[in-house]
Structure formats: C-alpha cells, structure tokens
Amino acid sequence: NAGVTQTPKFQVLKTGQSMTLQCAQDMNHNSMYWYRQDPGMGLRLIYYSASEGTTDKGEVPNGYNVSRLNKREFSLRLESAAPSQTSVYFCASRYGRTEAFFGQGTRLTVV
Amino acid sequence: GESVGLHLPTLSVQEGDNSIINCAYSNSASDYFIWYKQESGKGPQFIIDIRSNMDKRQGQRVTVLLNKTVKHLSLQIAATQPGDSAVYFCADNAGGTSYGKLTFGQGTILTVHP
C-alpha cells in the first residue's frame, strides 16, 4: 500500500505563478485534509473534505482553493503564489473518526 | 487544539526518564483526540488516540490522559529513549457541524539526551 502520495515533493515558484499540489490516497478513506507547516511551527489546517463532494475551510484558507476530484484525490491550488505561502504542505486522509495518515509533504518555496 | 503561530516549546530529558508532554485544546465540543510524532523531514506519525468518553488510555510505553473539565490532554512516555526525540503534536476532532475537522495544537520539541 502506498498510503498517501503527494506530488511534487519539492517546488520553487516565482511570485504570481500558479500551481496545483496533488494528493492521492489508496486506503478508501472518506476524509482528506491539507495542512501547511512553517519552519519550527505547528500544522495549520487550510481546507478539508469530510467526504467526497464536500469541502470546507480550515484555519488559513486565504490564497488557496481545493478540489475533491474523486474519493482518492484532493488537490490544492495556489492561483497567485506569494512569498508568505513558502511552507511545507502536508496532505492527510482518514476513515471516519480515526487517526489521519499523512503524506511525506511538499516543500514549496516562493521567491 | 489551535495553532497560535508561536515557536514550539521544548522539553529536554535524560534517557530512561519519563516524559510528560502537555496540550490544551479550546473547543469544548471536541470528542476525539490524537497524539502524533513528527521526525525531521517527515510527515506526522500516529502514536495513540483517545475518545471523549475515556480519561485514560495506554499503549506501548505511552499513556494519554484527558481532562475534559479543563480541556487538557497529556502524553506520558515511559523510559524515554533517544529515538523518541521528535516534535509531538496533539490534534482534536470537532463535533457537531464541524464534523471531520481535525486541528492541531502547537507542538512540543522533545530532546532525549543519552
């Protein structure tokens, strides 16, 4: 089992560029999440999808959009990247009210 | 838990000591709590969880205590080992209309000295 797979692992963007971070899980989980983690800090929830067909804002949604493409995939889009969005982005998934499984992260730098 | 954008607190212990890591949460409707361990350069890994109908749960070398009255969670690690050095986070699951929302606390850096 691959678990939660994030692509790309690393990315450098120029200010104003757009990009989509991809996340896929193969565990048949219904809920999926996007978090960001700044250096030396905790994880902050950007958006989540409690089930296929629904998405909700988390703590820090500004500047991001998400798409729950199907049960397996949940993408995060930056329409116009800003240096403040330099961070490590983690995708997670889980089934119901159980522990969430995390991907290995995408390290994004916006210059 | 709610991240408040502060740098992480630290805890230093000697190998073999017991460690206690604390976490406060703010949502009185939270009904499920998880502790995670994060090693450098990796995603968080599940350690142990507890539901709000319990006040204590034990795993292998770890115990989680939940005090709903003061909205406090703690993780106790017995006989701490150098391999336990990592950042530890608590997470809580909101109930009600925010079903499915999983938010993380601030985190604590644990350093174990041989």
Side-chain angles (χ1 to χ4, degrees):
Chain A
N1 263 349
V4 179
T5 302
Q6 293 182 232
T7 55
K9 288 185 170 49
F10 301 92
Q11 182 71 49
V12 178
L13 290 178
K14 293 182 179 178
T15 298
Q17 286 185 316
S18 63
M19 80 161 293
T20 300
L21 280 64
Q22 307 286 354
C23 176
Q25 51 91 8
D26 62 2
M27 296 173 282
N28 202 34
H29 287 167
N30 54 332
S31 300
M32 297 186 74
Y33 303 81
W34 277 107
Y35 295 88
R36 62 175 287 173
Q37 185 174 34
D38 299 327
M41 307 277 274
L43 288 94
R44 291 185 289 172
L45 181 63
I46 305 172
Y47 272 94
Y48 67 105
S49 172
S51 61
E52 187 179 358
T54 69
T55 59
D56 286 285
K57 294 179 180 179
E59 303 164 283
V60 288
N62 291 345
Y64 305 95
N65 286 301
V66 290
S67 295
R68 184 74 184 267
L69 304 169
N70 48 55
K71 192 170 186 180
R72 289 187 63 247
E73 298 171 288
F74 188 40
S75 62
L76 179 72
R77 183 160 178 85
L78 288 70
E79 289 291 351
S80 179
S84 61
Q85 294 178 304
T86 293
S87 191
V88 180
Y89 291 84
F90 287 101
C91 176
S93 72
R94 65 174 178 163
Y95 182 77
R97 272 172 140 69
T98 60
E99 74 270 23
F101 292 81
F102 283 79
Q104 287 302 297
T106 295
R107 283 151 182 78
L108 176 67
T109 302
V110 183
V111 297
Chain B
E2 289 190 5
S3 174
V4 295
L6 301 174
H7 289 277
L8 304 178
T10 59
L11 174 65
S12 291
V13 301
Q14 291 296 127
E15 182 177 2
D17 287 351
N18 296 333
S19 301
I20 300 176
I21 300 170
N22 297 303
C23 177
Y25 64 95
S26 58
N27 187 349
S28 57
S30 293
D31 59 3
Y32 174 62
F33 306 86
I34 313 170
W35 278 102
Y36 283 92
K37 174 186 181 182
Q38 187 179 28
E39 296 174 313
S40 181
K42 297 184 178 180
Q45 292 180 290
F46 171 79
I47 302 172
I48 192 168
D49 59 0
I50 188 168
R51 300 192 184 275
S52 60
N53 60 351
M54 304 172 68
D55 52 22
K56 180 179 181 179
R57 188 163 189 224
Q58 289 184 290
Q60 189 174 13
R61 281 202 308 121
V62 294
T63 300
V64 55
L65 299 177
L66 174 63
N67 185 329
K68 294 182 289 294
T69 302
V70 296
K71 296 200 281 290
H72 183 268
L73 200 64
S74 69
L75 176 71
Q76 300 178 1
I77 305 174
T80 315
Q81 302 166 1
D84 294 326
S85 293
V87 182
Y88 290 81
F89 294 98
C90 67
D92 69 280
N93 196 124
T97 57
S98 295
Y99 180 89
K101 186 176 183 181
L102 186 66
T103 53
F104 279 70
Q106 187 178 18
T108 297
I109 301 171
L110 175 66
T111 302
V112 182
H113 300 284

